[in-house]
Amino acid sequence: MTTSHSAADASGEKAPPEVVREAEELRLELNRHGRLYYVEARPEITDLEYDELFRRLVDLELRFPDLASLDSPTQRVGAEPQDKFETVPHVAPMLSLDSTQELDVVHRFHDRVSKALGAGNEPSYLLEPKLDGASIELVYEDGLFTRAVTRGNGQEGERVTENIRTISSVPLRLRTDVRPAPRMLAIRGEVIMSISNFQDLNAGLIEKGAEPYASPRNSAAGAIRQLDPSVAASRKLDVFVYDVLALEGHSVITDSAGVDALRDWGLKVPERVEFARSVQDIASYHQHFVTARDRMDYEIDGVVIKLDDLAARAAMGSTSHHPRWALAFKFPPRQEITRIDKIDIQVGRTGVLTPVAFLRPVVVGGVRVARASLHNRDELKRKDLREGDNVLIQRAGDVIPQVVKVLERVEGRSPAFSMPAECPVCGTSVYEEGPRTICPNRFGCRAQLKGRITHFAARAALDIEGLGEETAHVLVETGLVSGLAQLFDITAEQLVQLDGFAEKSATGLVSAIQAKKTPELRRFLVALGIPEVGVNVARQLAAHFGDFSLIRSARREDLEAIPGVGPLMSKAITNFFDEDRNTVTLDALLERGVKARVTDPADTALADLGAVVFTGTIPVPRVVAESAWRNIGGSVTGSVSKKTTFVVAGENAGSKLGKAEKLGVQVLNFEEFVERLRGLGGDIKV
Ligand code: IVH
């Protein structure tokens, strides 16, 4: 970060009053915009404007160290890694919840509560989604966030304050413009990781050969127990709060009033908190979320039913384990039982051998599942999965199905599956790197070449129509193509000789390939499949250098001058260009007249695509559409405002559609959205 401070200023000069005032105003402003963005999902300024204010504050705080304060948004990350966490008692015990999946049990619960309240007192319940994350206690003293403790054994837990400070939806100071801050507030909430962040995290872990997390909950729980707060910060967590554990200097008599207070203090409360007076109300709320959960970007595993009246709660009391006034009404799990018909190995573009389970097809949560990646050798061994096994599969927080476990290890199972010693495609001896098994024959293995070709032609890369997995397979197996450059030599006459090509499809493919001889630089960079270089880095490289030859000859320090490009990436990039075989490929491409278009940096700067809102039912899980939009630099929010770029309306769109129309915000249907996305270099599988 660049600052303009001089040595004299940093030596401890006291900030003059007007600077103190300015810093205070900046903190308030930044905290407000942080809340609008992270808690209320209705930002009023752009990220760039926010960054500008933020930098101004950092600048002042660096110049005048006496300005530093705990509630400054600049203080979220920065604490040193710890050796271990301290175990501390909770302000009030954190109990569990009694739970059921049966409506009958809900009836009985309602009967018990009604009886406890006595004749003439109909219970009033508060209903909330049950968030599937890691439980946490947060403490605010005189409005200042002072402590966060994991659930632990319910009586005491680990103090993870510095990790929780990094979470943007946790206010460092309670908002007081609606109601004054209490002397002390202890609340319970749930730390969650969104499904899209979870998927990104896992994709990165798998790419690195590390073990992926099993669910967003595991990764959230893992993140808050990281000793280094910067790791927690990188996981992009979120916190919803739903229960007041202790309150001093303020009073509420119902849970709903408590939720209102929490909201007023700037905390993030669960969406769609509702009242219910009957089991029927509860059943329909539950039913709503049974379907809505598929469109949400975070995991919920049921709904929570809580008696609203706090005095009545106290009268009913708790068992040692759970309160008698609450019940979790859980969803049926999105798990199914099926059989592994076969385990096979797939070899990817980078030579990694991945075991894949081919399953007897089964529908899980509305999606047909016929195969599941088993990731790597260690995972396969840990789960001891074999052909013929009956297994439990799930789609937990993940559109990607996973095999949870073998149901029963029956006598006479197939022998344990072991990774082959040789690449099943090219026969080269494989090597192991951590849990991964890799075929080293990078330039001779047909599987890797097929992978490189499909990657080259993919939508985010050169976007060559008609050149998918199947075609790549045919081109490689027939020997027509032995490297990327040969794609440009193919003629229609050659293609019609092959199975599956008619005159029209042959000429179509040839012209589709020839049409991409002058690709945009950023697409060309993606197409080459340089390790570590995805869509975003490619865009940055293109914007920074503007010309392919400059990137090809860039030194590591030139690359590292780009924000976000670290040593790992610069090394991967220079290694790629130093590799003789890549030089041959690049020269061969140049020889055939393939030349990336020189780009005006302004064209490639990460455009501010703005925020979009989804409403109604769309043909793909909503998380998939959302992450596709985020992948190209857009953002997604939950509510429509004048600043919304556009609204994507699916079937049965609700009030958000009405609001968009009222505000004159553009409305796209799903097909139009996909078109827009693709036009901007993104992609989505439909
Ligand atoms: S109320 C004493 N409300 O579910 C009960 N809990 O399986 C106070 N949870 O450990 C909890 N969402 O961490 C409540 N809206 C919600 C919740 C919720 C998730 C968690 C909580 C509890 C677990 C029980």
Side-chain angles (χ1 to χ4, degrees):
M1 196 168 304
T2 51
T3 58
S4 57
H5 70 278
S6 70
D9 290 331
S11 66
E13 192 186 320
K14 227 169 134 32
E18 69 275 13
V19 173
V20 173
R21 205 169 324 115
E22 184 182 355
E24 255 167 31
E25 276 163 17
L26 281 168
R27 277 200 288 271
L28 274 177
E29 227 3 53
L30 284 162
N31 284 337
R32 188 172 84 85
H33 288 301
R35 186 185 73 243
L36 287 169
Y37 187 88
Y38 290 105
V39 177
E40 301 182 22
R42 48 178 190 102
E44 285 178 0
I45 59 176
T46 64
D47 293 1
L48 280 173
E49 287 164 330
Y50 183 92
D51 291 348
E52 216 165 280
L53 293 174
F54 192 89
R55 264 198 300 275
R56 173 79 189 136
L57 181 58
V58 169
D59 208 34
L60 293 181
E61 288 178 353
L62 278 172
R63 260 164 49 196
F64 304 102
D66 65 316
L67 287 177
S69 84
L70 270 177
D71 64 338
S72 171
T74 60
Q75 300 303 303
R76 287 204 181 264
V77 199
E80 292 292 313
Q82 288 171 264
D83 297 332
K84 67 179 197 44
F85 295 117
E86 202 187 330
T87 300
V88 293
H90 290 298
V91 171
M94 286 172 79
L95 298 177
S96 294
L97 270 179
D98 199 8
S99 76
T100 184
Q101 276 187 47
E102 309 300 326
L103 191 60
D104 273 0
V105 179
V106 178
H107 272 289
R108 289 205 290 278
F109 167 77
H110 177 61
D111 292 344
R112 271 200 311 280
V113 175
S114 304
K115 205 163 150 205
L117 294 194
N121 292 318
E122 277 295 292
S124 171
Y125 301 105
L126 206 59
L127 304 179
E128 286 167 6
K130 182 171 180 308
L131 305 149
D132 196 8
S135 207
I136 191 94
E137 177 192 54
L138 307 180
V139 180
Y140 285 86
E141 290 170 271
D142 293 321
L144 193 66
F145 171 64
T146 53
R147 206 168 87 130
V149 185
T150 62
R151 176 162 187 280
N153 62 10
Q155 300 298 323
E156 51 181 31
E158 288 177 315
R159 201 158 54 88
V160 292
T161 316
E162 297 311 328
N163 284 341
I164 301 300
R165 287 183 76 78
T166 67
I167 304 176
S168 306
S169 52
V170 173
L172 297 177
R173 179 175 286 288
L174 295 179
R175 174 184 183 189
T176 51
D177 50 350
V178 190
R179 64 173 91 200
R183 232 288 307 138
M184 194 276 296
L185 170 69
I187 39 185
R188 180 167 180 174
E190 205 81 356
V191 182
I192 61 155
M193 180 182 266
S194 71
I195 296 172
S196 31
N197 283 334
F198 167 73
Q199 287 171 341
D200 289 350
L201 173 70
N202 265 0
L205 289 172
I206 292 168
E207 177 95 26
K208 273 195 281 184
E211 183 126 343
Y213 282 99
S215 66
R217 173 159 53 99
N218 287 0
S219 57
I224 57 175
R225 299 195 62 253
Q226 293 283 334
L227 291 165
D228 183 351
S230 68
V231 177
S234 72
R235 295 277 173 91
K236 303 198 190 99
L237 305 167
D238 210 342
V239 172
F240 286 92
V241 300
Y242 45 73
D243 192 36
V244 176
L245 289 165
L247 181 59
E248 287 171 18
H250 195 90
S251 94
V252 288
I253 57 168
T254 57
D255 192 17
S256 46
V259 172
D260 288 342
L262 296 177
R263 199 183 278 123
D264 290 346
W265 285 322
L267 290 146
K268 192 166 184 169
V269 298
E271 60 179 304
R272 245 192 121 115
V273 179
E274 282 179 17
F275 287 110
R277 302 201 134 258
S278 67
V279 174
Q280 204 179 3
D281 292 349
I282 297 170
S284 68
Y285 184 82
H286 182 260
Q287 191 50 44
H288 163 78
F289 276 110
V290 167
T291 47
R293 67 190 294 222
D294 284 335
R295 301 192 297 269
M296 293 166 64
D297 194 22
Y298 54 89
E299 280 277 7
I300 59 173
D301 58 350
V303 301
V304 185
I305 312 161
K306 304 176 198 182
L307 187 58
D308 193 31
D309 184 328
L310 299 183
R313 281 188 185 186
M316 286 192 76
S318 303
T319 71
S320 62
H321 168 76
H322 63 257
R324 295 196 177 89
W325 43 261
L327 181 67
F329 187 10
K330 302 243 264 186
F331 301 136
R334 278 193 294 209
Q335 292 185 327
E336 294 296 334
I337 293 165
T338 188
R339 189 186 122 103
I340 299 184
D341 283 336
K342 191 171 171 43
I343 298 177
D344 217 345
I345 296 290
Q346 289 187 342
V347 183
R349 169 172 70 88
T350 55
V352 174
L353 272 61
T354 306
V356 177
F358 288 82
L359 308 163
R360 185 163 293 173
V362 60
V363 174
V364 191
V367 174
R368 181 175 179 276
V369 176
R371 47 193 255 177
S373 168
L374 304 176
H375 300 304
N376 57 45
R377 179 172 18 87
D378 286 1
E379 170 115 339
L380 195 62
K381 194 163 158 207
R382 193 162 48 79
K383 293 184 176 164
D384 184 23
L385 306 169
R386 305 188 189 182
E387 290 181 353
D389 281 349
N390 284 324
V391 290
L392 189 66
I393 62 167
Q394 70 178 11
R395 294 194 308 125
D398 205 338
V399 278
I400 301 160
Q402 47 186 236
V403 179
V404 184
K405 61 173 185 186
V406 177
L407 284 175
E408 201 188 350
R409 300 202 153 82
V410 293
E411 289 272 333
R413 297 165 74 207
S414 316
F417 183 89
S418 52
M419 295 296 283
E422 281 132 28
C423 172
V425 177
C426 70
T428 308
S429 295
V430 298
Y431 68 98
E432 292 181 351
E433 193 179 81
R436 296 190 301 182
T437 309
I438 302 171
C439 165
N441 187 13
R442 277 198 289 154
F443 297 97
C445 178
R446 296 189 320 281
Q448 297 188 46
L449 177 58
K450 286 177 206 167
R452 276 202 297 281
I453 293 174
T454 22
H455 181 83
F456 191 72
R459 242 183 209 119
L462 292 206
D463 192 14
I464 301 174
E465 189 85 23
L467 185 44
E469 250 171 66
E470 254 170 73
T471 307
H473 176 82
V474 175
L475 296 179
V476 173
E477 292 301 326
T478 53
L480 203 53
V481 172
S482 58
L484 295 178
Q486 272 102 47
L487 287 171
F488 294 92
D489 298 338
I490 305 174
T491 64
E493 291 71 43
Q494 289 172 319
L495 288 177
V496 286
Q497 310 288 317
L498 310 178
D499 268 357
F501 278 100
E503 181 85 35
K504 195 163 163 230
S505 53
T507 49
L509 180 58
V510 171
S511 52
I513 295 172
Q514 297 299 326
K516 296 298 160 75
K517 273 194 164 164
T518 46
E520 284 167 77
L521 180 51
R522 65 182 171 90
R523 287 176 170 275
F524 186 61
L525 289 169
V526 172
L528 293 177
I530 306 166
E532 307 283 334
V533 178
V535 178
N536 283 325
V537 176
R539 202 192 302 255
Q540 271 178 309
L541 289 172
H544 185 89
F545 291 98
D547 183 65
F548 182 68
S549 62
L550 296 177
I551 299 173
R552 199 174 167 182
S553 60
R555 294 165 307 164
R556 288 188 59 181
E557 56 267 38
D558 303 331
L559 294 163
E560 285 172 32
I562 303 173
V565 176
L568 206 80
M569 215 180 267
S570 71
K571 187 149 186 262
I573 297 169
T574 51
N575 281 354
F576 179 88
F577 289 116
D578 286 345
E579 163 76 53
D580 288 343
R581 300 294 296 257
N582 290 332
T583 307
V584 171
T585 302
L586 289 170
D587 291 343
L589 283 166
L590 278 177
E591 238 168 67
R592 286 161 177 80
V594 178
K595 197 162 183 319
R597 260 181 275 156
V598 175
T599 5
D600 177 348
D603 292 345
T604 17
L606 195 56
D608 189 359
L609 294 175
V612 308
V613 174
F614 290 86
T615 178
T617 310
I618 54 176
V620 301
R622 198 179 277 184
V623 293
V624 173
E626 290 179 355
S627 43
W629 182 249
R630 288 199 184 94
N631 278 343
I632 58 167
S635 59
V636 178
T637 61
S639 59
V640 181
S641 78
K642 275 203 300 251
K643 310 228 160 170
T644 306
T645 313
F646 57 82
V647 169
V648 182
E651 275 171 48
N652 303 320
S655 61
K656 288 177 192 169
L657 176 57
K659 181 142 185 223
E661 281 162 355
K662 210 171 84 200
L663 293 175
V665 171
Q666 190 180 19
V667 177
L668 305 184
N669 65 26
F670 183 69
E671 289 67 37
E672 290 164 335
F673 165 69
V674 174
E675 215 167 281
R676 175 83 58 102
L677 182 75
R678 288 181 179 158
L680 291 162
D683 194 13
I684 190 169
K685 287 216 163 54
V686 289

